[in-house]
Amino acid sequence: MPSLKKIFLKLCRGPRQDTPTRPAVSPALPVSSVTAIPEKKPAKTKKKAKTKKMRSNSKVDCNIIEGEGEDSHSRSPSPDPITDSWRMETDITDLDKAEKPPSNIHEQHSVTKLTSKLNGTVMTPKKVLSRESPLNLSESLGNCLRPSLFPRVPPYLKFVPHDETIPLKVPAAIQKHLKWKLTTITPIVVKKTLMNSGFRLVKSECDTAECPQEETVEWVGIWGKHMKSLMFRAIKDGQKMNHFPGTFQIGRKDRLWRNLQKLCNKFGVNEFGIMPKTYVLPHDLKLLKHEWEKYAANNERWIIKPPASARGTGIKVVSRWAQIPKKRPVVVQRYVSKPYLINGSKFDLRLYVLVTSVHPLRIYLYKDGLARFASVKYNSELTSLNDRYMHLTNYSINRLSKNYTPNEDFAACEGHKWTLQTLFQYLKTDKNVDTEALWTSIKDLVIKTIISGEASISSLTKANITSRYNCYELFGIDVLLDEDLKPWLLEVNISPSLHSASPLDIHVKGPLVSTVLNIAQFQVPIKTNIEMLSKDKPHKMVGLPYDSRLYTVYLSKEERDKHIIYTNMEDRDMYLRDILSTLTPDDVRHLIQAEDELTQTGDMERVFPSKDSHKYLGFLAGPRYYNRLFDAWETRYGDKRDPGIELLRNLCDIGYHLEVPPVPLKNDIDAPSPAPSERPSLRSVPSDRGSVAVLPTVSATTVPPVPGAPSTPVSLPPARNSSPVTRPCGDALALRPPPALEPRA
């Protein structure tokens, strides 16, 4: 008779060995592509083996036997209390290598049922997809489409530069639906890029002059002005716009200052003192008066700007209190009176920043840009304050100066406009400046600028956008260097000018536009007639058009449970350790989108997230699940992406990323809250964020269900070096009874 110890070990390992139909790579607990879970040979009997949740009436927990078992409610790996080191199940061990079956075994046994266990909840997909080869693009399609890194993900449309001599040849079945809606501000360089890439520029549905009043409803993309947040609700599935709702929070100078001031008060001037001291009039008139009198003896200079203007309109430098408007809405900013000068002239930098997602936050910084010089040499005399050509660096102002000299050569250090690359080369070689340190400080300023408006933008995006596919945004951030080469934020433009009046402008902005559109990842319109693309085998084109499932904003119960758990973890080491151990379909969808973006960066640099960007997470309004997911991902795979990409490929190969919850009815989303008498009784405990409602009691490693939450307990990852049997809940979970399904928090 086997020993009691062996019986307990067999029970603990039951779910791992009693599922002969599980694929080599588990979708719920992904492992490295080379770490295969051995499959048990099927028995001769025709009865299907059923995977059941292990239940044991024994009073002894499996985990107490030498720490080898795993909790029956969780797929999160538990640390061994005996060993000092701890590893994720995605790591490779000698035992894993020894148990790896030959690859031909996986090919012989097709996957007929996929059963996974996520946080204690057994989840069986409604439809199981067998392994199949990725979509093979013909030569004609390969010229205009680029494949995803991952199987079962539709390819993306290619965008070629505006000066490409040979336009892309797009099949008629696809080009018929490639309509780009024109606006009054669509730049010429954008139009040329689109036409070279096979798009048609349209103004109305009929695409003729006979019905100019009709609005097109089938457009794929648009490059236009920013809209009010509610108007974003009109964007349909499969359409993209070059703005996010709410970006006026950083685009208006008064809102930008207010947001930065909040962060400055919370985290200090050393972190967020990136913008000169600003006062918003008439609200801050008394504060400005007090500050003015304090520095009146020093003849302090101030610059007046309208809160929502561009191109230097209404800007002037003053030094007398009588020059300050008392009733008109303006911002009054301390003037940086000691700027860094080149050849005696003041200059500023125009940086181009692309944001492809707000939650999670993804920020790209263009490695090139513009250095715009004032056309009159600088001096600090009070008598010169009225000279706009000396104190203002805007191109739209200085081009009117008789002293303005255009620069036709993008590689030359001459004239009143240089490229950013040329400027940095000049600073490094001629001025012996540490340009790497300067670039690092500029990246820091860019990230903090976007973070200042992240909370409002994220909230408005959640309220008005129903697909993660719909939005991206290119910002123009203006920066001034002082005499110590400290970068100062001047303003943020939410519709930066892409006007290309010279070869230098074209050299910078031409590649910028095609790179932005490629990173934005447009896909083949859903209405494309795929039968016309492959009349012989149309079934091979099924995965070609846009798939809305990849961009859904809705979460399943299991995914929402995981969000709640990892959002409320206070310890970074804890979520770094466990958040990747059980990837959900929603996790995979976000990760594959980000990895596909990285293949198109070109001269863009992704500055957030990165392996070193976790220090900025504490500046956000609160912990966000996806930012923590990407923090863990970049920490593990930032230096070596291939294992992570292979892991995602294995999951996509079995269609795991296409498991999405149904879209809830409007009545389900907007259902009224339960009456106070029906709400769960929760006690409040003080925390660093105020009173937080927590469950009155917590069992060993599970959170008991509350009304409206999933009926299955949600397992919490055991703390490092703690007992696997009686681990208290160290993090107070701020839970509210979630509905079965609702848009993500």
Side-chain angles (χ1 to χ4, degrees):
M1 178 179 293
S3 65
L4 181 61
K5 176 179 177 181
K6 291 183 178 180
I7 293 176
F8 280 133
L9 290 176
K10 185 175 181 181
L11 289 173
C12 292
R13 296 171 178 171
R16 190 177 179 95
Q17 297 182 1
D18 294 339
T19 54
T21 58
R22 183 162 34 168
V25 179
S26 168
L29 182 56
V31 295
S32 175
S33 58
V34 295
T35 309
I37 301 175
E39 298 184 28
K40 188 176 180 180
K41 292 185 178 181
K44 294 182 179 180
T45 177
K46 295 183 179 180
K47 294 182 179 180
K48 294 182 179 180
K50 296 182 179 180
T51 303
K52 296 184 178 180
K53 187 177 178 181
M54 184 188 69
R55 296 180 180 177
S56 175
N57 296 327
S58 172
K59 297 181 180 180
V60 182
D61 194 292
C62 298
N63 284 333
I64 65 175
I65 301 177
E66 298 181 4
E68 294 181 358
E70 67 178 7
D71 184 71
S72 62
H73 295 294
S74 177
R75 282 288 184 178
S76 299
S78 302
D80 191 335
I82 297 178
T83 60
D84 294 331
S85 61
W86 182 89
R87 70 178 185 90
M88 301 291 289
E89 292 207 22
T90 52
D91 296 336
I92 304 172
T93 63
D94 295 336
L95 180 60
D96 293 327
K97 294 180 180 179
E99 293 179 349
K100 180 180 178 181
S103 58
N104 58 356
I105 294 180
H106 302 311
E107 297 174 359
Q108 294 174 3
H109 301 287
S110 61
V111 180
T112 58
K113 184 177 181 181
L114 179 63
T115 303
S116 63
K117 187 178 181 184
L118 173 61
N119 292 331
T121 302
V122 176
M123 179 175 60
T124 303
K126 296 180 180 179
K127 182 178 180 181
V128 178
L129 303 173
S130 59
R131 289 178 178 268
E132 64 181 26
S133 59
L135 178 69
N136 293 321
L137 299 177
S138 62
E139 183 177 354
S140 61
L141 291 175
N143 291 332
C144 63
L145 302 177
R146 61 176 175 89
S148 168
L149 290 174
F150 310 99
R152 303 182 186 277
V153 176
Y156 306 99
L157 297 168
K158 285 183 182 178
F159 290 88
V160 296
H162 72 289
D163 56 354
E164 187 73 26
T165 56
I166 303 177
L168 290 181
K169 294 182 179 180
V170 182
I174 297 178
Q175 191 174 27
K176 177 182 178 181
H177 300 283
L178 294 186
K179 298 179 181 180
W180 192 278
K181 187 177 179 181
L182 283 177
T183 68
T184 56
I185 69 166
T186 304
I188 295 177
V189 66
V190 173
K191 294 178 183 178
K192 291 182 177 180
T193 301
L194 293 170
M195 289 188 291
N196 272 353
S197 304
F199 278 78
R200 292 189 299 153
L201 309 180
V202 298
K203 293 183 179 179
S204 62
E205 176 59 29
C206 60
D207 201 11
T208 67
E210 298 175 358
C211 50
Q213 302 302 323
E214 294 186 14
E215 290 293 332
T216 177
V217 295
E218 293 185 352
W219 52 268
V220 173
I222 184 174
W223 193 289
K225 295 181 180 180
H226 196 276
M227 308 184 300
K228 293 183 178 180
S229 297
L230 287 176
M231 296 180 67
F232 281 82
R233 298 185 180 185
I235 301 179
K236 301 181 183 299
D237 198 22
Q239 295 179 331
K240 275 186 183 290
M241 185 174 185
N242 63 317
H243 292 291
F244 284 96
T247 51
F248 61 87
Q249 289 287 346
I250 58 176
R252 286 181 58 99
K253 300 175 185 65
D254 51 354
R255 299 290 182 91
L256 174 63
W257 169 251
R258 293 296 191 207
N259 291 324
L260 285 172
Q261 188 179 36
K262 291 177 183 177
L263 294 172
C264 192
N265 292 337
K266 185 175 182 180
F267 299 105
V269 177
N270 290 336
E271 289 291 352
F272 280 90
I274 60 176
M275 190 174 184
K277 182 70 173 179
T278 304
Y279 297 88
V280 181
L281 302 188
H283 183 271
D284 296 339
L285 187 61
K286 291 183 179 180
L287 294 175
L288 175 61
K289 179 67 173 177
H290 180 267
E291 187 79 2
W292 192 285
E293 293 174 349
K294 184 188 300 185
Y295 296 97
N298 299 331
N299 292 321
E300 194 76 14
R301 295 157 181 79
W302 301 81
I303 186 167
I304 301 174
K305 303 177 182 180
S309 66
R311 301 182 180 180
T313 304
I315 300 179
K316 59 181 179 179
V317 182
V318 300
S319 61
R320 300 192 309 273
W321 178 253
Q323 295 174 292
I324 301 294
K326 308 302 189 296
K327 297 181 179 180
R328 182 160 49 94
V330 294
V331 295
V332 180
Q333 191 174 81
R334 188 182 298 278
Y335 185 66
V336 180
S337 58
K338 295 182 179 180
Y340 189 87
L341 304 178
I342 292 181
N343 299 328
S345 295
K346 176 183 176 181
F347 67 95
D348 73 351
L349 309 178
R350 165 57 61 90
L351 308 174
Y352 295 100
V353 177
L354 173 65
V355 175
T356 58
S357 174
V358 179
H359 183 207
L361 188 60
R362 289 200 298 276
I363 307 172
Y364 297 84
L365 175 59
Y366 194 45
K367 295 179 182 178
D368 209 348
L370 297 174
R372 305 172 300 183
F373 289 79
S375 52
V376 174
K377 293 186 181 298
Y378 180 82
N379 73 68
S380 58
E381 298 295 330
L382 291 177
T383 55
S384 68
L385 293 185
N386 291 329
D387 192 341
R388 290 163 58 85
Y389 301 135
M390 176 188 297
H391 295 281
L392 304 184
T393 56
N394 306 74
Y395 165 75
S396 55
I397 292 177
N398 281 278
R399 68 185 178 89
L400 303 176
S401 171
K402 63 180 181 180
N403 298 321
Y404 182 79
T405 304
N407 183 4
E408 302 295 335
D409 185 1
F410 64 86
C413 299
E414 60 185 29
H416 292 100
K417 184 185 288 188
W418 299 2
T419 66
L420 190 64
Q421 293 287 345
T422 301
L423 173 68
F424 271 58
Q425 183 64 28
Y426 171 83
L427 292 175
K428 184 176 181 179
T429 57
D430 291 30
K431 300 296 183 179
N432 199 27
V433 172
D434 185 354
T435 53
E436 291 187 3
L438 177 59
W439 185 246
T440 299
S441 62
I442 288 176
K443 290 192 292 185
D444 178 75
L445 178 144
V446 166
I447 294 172
K448 290 176 178 176
T449 300
I450 301 298
I451 282 178
S452 69
E454 184 269 349
S456 298
I457 299 172
S458 179
S459 177
L460 290 170
T461 299
K462 175 188 172 184
N464 297 286
I465 294 297
T466 58
S467 172
R468 293 187 294 107
Y469 182 82
N470 291 146
C471 298
Y472 65 98
E473 186 150 3
L474 178 68
F475 297 95
I477 297 182
D478 293 342
V479 173
L480 178 73
L481 301 179
D482 66 12
E483 61 180 356
D484 298 321
L485 287 173
K486 176 184 177 179
W488 290 93
L489 174 65
L490 299 181
E491 63 183 30
V492 178
N493 296 272
I494 57 178
S495 293
S497 172
L498 295 179
H499 178 64
S500 302
S502 67
L504 183 145
D505 287 322
I506 294 174
H507 173 79
V508 173
K509 299 174 183 178
L512 169 66
V513 169
S514 57
T515 301
V516 166
L517 295 176
N518 278 317
I519 295 178
Q521 303 195 142
F522 288 75
Q523 292 182 325
V524 176
I526 189 64
K527 292 187 177 182
T528 301
N529 188 347
I530 59 176
E531 294 182 358
M532 295 180 61
L533 297 174
S534 180
K535 296 181 179 180
D536 298 334
K537 299 178 180 179
H539 62 280
K540 289 192 174 183
M541 297 287 107
V542 172
L544 183 69
Y546 164 80
D547 190 341
S548 61
R549 292 176 295 179
L550 294 172
Y551 305 96
T552 181
V553 296
Y554 299 104
L555 301 174
S556 66
K557 292 181 181 180
E558 295 83 6
E559 290 164 346
R560 187 165 184 81
D561 289 340
K562 186 183 179 187
H563 280 223
I564 293 173
I565 291 172
Y566 287 99
T567 300
N568 286 278
M569 283 186 179
E570 300 292 341
D571 187 4
R572 177 174 180 259
D573 290 337
M574 196 170 191
Y575 74 73
L576 285 183
R577 185 192 71 182
D578 291 339
I579 198 170
L580 295 180
S581 64
T582 306
L583 291 179
T584 67
D586 180 66
D587 294 341
V588 176
R589 288 191 290 270
H590 280 79
L591 292 170
I592 62 178
Q593 182 182 5
E595 291 297 328
D596 275 340
E597 284 181 2
L598 276 178
T599 65
Q600 301 300 308
T601 51
D603 288 331
M604 285 275 189
E605 177 185 355
R606 194 174 78 179
V607 296
F608 190 99
S610 68
K611 62 178 182 178
D612 301 318
S613 63
H614 61 87
K615 61 183 179 182
Y616 297 101
L617 296 182
F619 300 144
L620 296 170
R624 297 197 185 278
Y625 171 81
Y626 292 120
N627 290 334
R628 291 185 166 189
L629 174 72
F630 275 88
D631 180 22
W633 185 264
E634 291 302 314
T635 299
R636 181 175 301 185
Y637 299 114
D639 291 328
K640 191 175 182 181
R641 311 201 75 85
D642 289 343
I645 292 174
E646 188 63 27
L647 173 65
L648 296 176
R649 280 176 177 162
N650 289 332
L651 296 175
C652 292
D653 198 26
I654 58 176
Y656 184 58
H657 62 305
L658 299 178
E659 292 295 329
V660 298
V663 177
L665 298 175
K666 184 176 181 181
N667 291 340
D668 295 335
I669 299 177
D670 300 332
S673 302
S677 59
E678 299 176 356
R679 295 173 184 167
S681 177
L682 303 179
R683 63 185 177 87
S684 296
V685 296
S687 71
D688 57 347
R689 292 189 293 269
S691 296
V692 178
V694 297
L695 295 166
T697 57
V698 180
S699 60
T701 58
T702 62
V703 178
V706 296
S711 57
T712 308
V714 181
S715 298
L716 289 175
R720 188 188 300 270
N721 297 330
S722 65
S723 169
V725 181
T726 58
R727 172 189 170 269
C729 180
D731 301 304
L733 296 182
L735 296 176
R736 63 177 176 83
L741 187 67
E742 69 179 42
R744 66 168 61 96

